[in-house]
Amino acid sequence: MTQETLAETLGVSVDAISKYERSASFIRGDLEHRLAERLGWTRDDILACREDWQARNQRQAQSAYQLLDDTLVDRYFGGSWRYAINDMITMAQSEFDFLPDELAPDRDLYLPIYDTYPDNWRAVLHKDQIVAKWSLLFLRPEHEEAFRKGNLIESELTVDRLNRLLLPGTYFGYCPALIILKRHEAAASLLLSSFVRFLEALAERDILLHGIGTISCSPGGAQVCRDLGMTRHGVYFMDSAFGIWELPGNAIANSIFARRSPLLRRRYAEAYGG
């Protein structure tokens, strides 16, 4: 059956049929009875078609996102990783413009950090726009203690005051911000995969984490922490609505990260049990 014949049978335009075939749109609810009456489809056929469309639509949405790499930096940022980092910080500033200075994404602070520790963060692009990012900094004991007490000052985490992972051992990772812009939730899977690969690379060097901590500054951020299996320990001293969250090392073997990586499950189970 040609597109023209099918369009005439269903009483829609040829353009609509083309969109259905490309998963660019799905049949309206009021057309479903025409599939049954005019093409002999069963209700199960219609439901199976909808499920197939949803799966294809999700794959297409995910393929629209790309992890930032040298090729994309050349294409969209003139070959300059610093320009890309600048855009990432600008995105964070626009998303968190309500934060106090102690937690605000300060360009003067984070540009040198991301420049010095290029492996400790990843960003996802949609076309030429950065729409999601994670970063993980490694705290020295005094800052780890301040985090757990709820009085960590991010502006004190200058390049020279962060831990460099030179030797095997256990370290504490602090995530200043996990950002996924609204309407770009499909970027989450790619972002999570990149974080898992980062943890795997550390584990292969016999570097494990005895904790991953963050401060949630919004209801959405708190929900992400719950989704990751983190535990809320308390509140941040600047605002009681800001939560202190941690995923301890002994919980990583059963976390969403380990479920995606047999290597992480094995290494963290060996180190912490579970």
Side-chain angles (χ1 to χ4, degrees), residues 175-209:
C175 180
L178 170 65
I179 303 173
I180 302 173
L181 296 185
K182 292 179 180 178
R183 298 183 301 279
H184 292 284
E185 288 78 8
S189 180
L190 184 58
L191 204 66
L192 179 58
S193 295
S194 69
F195 189 76
V196 168
R197 288 196 294 273
F198 174 66
L199 294 180
E200 287 178 330
L202 294 181
E204 288 170 350
R205 295 168 51 198
D206 292 325
I207 293 173
L208 301 179
L209 305 183

Side-chain angles (χ1 to χ4, degrees), residues 89 92-94 96-97 99-101 103-107 109-110 154:
I89 296 173
Q93 289 173 329
S94 64
F96 295 111
D97 58 359
L99 291 179
D101 290 343
L103 291 176
D106 186 312
R107 190 180 310 276
L109 174 69
Y110 282 104
E154 284 190 4

